[in-house]
Amino acid sequence: MSASSQIAYEWKGLPWKRFQTVTFKLQKRIYRASQRGNLKLVRSLQKLLVKSQAATHLAVRRVTQENHGKKTAGVDGVKQLTPPQRLELAKKIHAKPYQKKAKAVRRVWIPKPGKDEKRPLGIPVMEERARQALAKLALEPEWEARFEPNSYGFRPGRSAHDAISYIFTCIRACPKYVLDADIAKCFDRINHLTLLEKLNTYPQMRRTIKSWLQAGILDGSRLFPSEEGAPQGGVITPPTMLQNALFRA
């Protein structure tokens, strides 16, 4: 067996079920502490999760194997990591889960369904996608405990079908008014300071998220500053958990 084949076997043979169990138990404790309003315990458990090998390996597997975006490269051109590269990335992130400066995101334009205009995406490099997935594992349980029970957008285990079912339950007895609203350029105009204040997380995580928000955008050969807004396309940036955190009632 070659060295690369042996490493591939090692990656596949990692105790993934145990990793999932350990991570889920920590997330469950974060969720319950958040429900009780015990922010000190929430922060302590989040730091513990971010530093755990289990959560780190799950984050790397998610962005390098499970996500559809695994074949899309960031500004460094890296995509579709091999098992040896995944193991190396997991070791690197486990040693340094936080960062002060992030690489720029790569601008990709995709068509909007039924419209002539295109939607801008910001694709982070693979390493930062893995760090974002790790941060999401730590932060999401805290906010899931605080979100409104009848919000459904971009939340784990919820879908548009759940929202439709709830609406049907509300209106089948008697007619009601429905408010349909759309915020123009919502994601492009998010204020970074307001978002970070709303998130109200611990300093290391705050600095890391700030670095992702202010990484800059590389569109072709031109680099643009990102002084406001949050590029769609990353693991942790809108429309995901941060959007829900910002607009939570």
Side-chain angles (χ1 to χ4, degrees):
M1 183 183 290
S2 66
S4 60
S5 298
Q6 184 176 354
I7 294 175
Y9 181 78
E10 288 177 8
W11 174 262
K12 187 177 180 181
L14 287 172
W16 294 109
K17 287 187 177 180
R18 183 173 67 82
F19 286 170
Q20 290 173 333
T21 300
V22 169
T23 303
F24 178 74
K25 284 183 178 179
L26 276 172
Q27 288 183 306
K28 194 172 182 180
R29 291 177 66 189
I30 293 169
Y31 180 89
R32 289 177 172 173
S34 181
Q35 278 187 321
R36 297 193 302 268
N38 189 345
L39 288 183
K40 184 177 181 180
L41 181 57
V42 167
R43 301 291 175 253
S44 176
L45 292 170
Q46 286 174 333
K47 292 174 184 178
L48 186 62
L49 187 147
V50 168
K51 293 178 181 178
S52 75
Q53 287 189 337
T56 301
H57 282 82
L58 288 176
V60 171
R61 187 176 72 165
R62 177 181 175 185
V63 301
T64 61
Q65 288 183 268
E66 298 173 356
N67 284 11
H68 294 300
K70 65 186 177 183
K71 297 181 180 180
T72 306
V75 295
D76 60 358
V78 175
K79 59 181 178 180
Q80 289 185 296
L81 300 187
T82 62
Q85 290 173 323
R86 292 173 198 148
L87 277 172
E88 189 62 33
L89 180 57
K91 290 178 183 177
K92 185 176 182 180
I93 293 175
H94 181 62
K96 189 180 178 183
Y98 307 105
Q99 60 186 147
K100 293 182 180 180
K101 187 171 178 59
K103 291 183 179 179
V105 298
R106 184 170 72 90
R107 173 69 82 212
V108 175
W109 296 89
I110 61 171
K112 286 186 177 182
K115 296 183 180 180
D116 294 331
E117 58 183 313
K118 293 185 177 182
R119 182 190 307 279
L121 296 182
I123 310 299
V125 298
M126 192 67 73
E127 181 180 330
E128 282 161 18
R129 277 181 253 178
R131 281 198 177 89
Q132 289 181 11
L134 181 59
K136 186 172 184 285
L137 287 172
L139 295 175
E140 195 166 58
E142 174 192 356
W143 286 93
E144 277 296 309
R146 299 199 221 171
F147 288 152
E148 296 296 320
N150 297 317
S151 66
Y152 297 93
F154 312 107
R155 292 179 61 182
R158 298 184 178 221
S159 68
H161 295 289
D162 297 313
I164 292 170
S165 176
Y166 177 71
I167 292 171
F168 174 76
T169 301
C170 290
I171 67 174
R172 65 179 178 177
C174 61
K176 294 184 179 180
Y177 289 101
V178 175
L179 175 63
D180 182 16
D182 184 22
I183 304 175
K185 302 285 185 181
C186 176
F187 303 125
D188 298 333
R189 295 172 180 169
I190 288 176
N191 183 282
H192 292 169
L193 181 59
T194 301
L195 177 58
L196 291 169
E197 286 179 350
K198 186 74 172 179
L199 197 58
N200 190 32
T201 189
Y202 58 97
Q204 289 170 303
M205 184 65 76
R206 177 188 170 94
R207 284 194 297 269
T208 298
I209 293 174
K210 184 179 180 180
S211 75
W212 295 331
L213 292 171
Q214 299 182 350
I217 301 167
L218 186 66
D219 193 345
S221 59
R222 298 183 62 188
L223 180 63
F224 298 93
S226 49
E227 297 174 349
E228 64 177 357
Q232 301 175 61
V235 177
I236 204 171
T237 48
T240 55
M241 183 197 62
L242 292 188
Q243 172 207 358
N244 287 329
L246 182 61
F247 296 109
R248 185 179 73 92

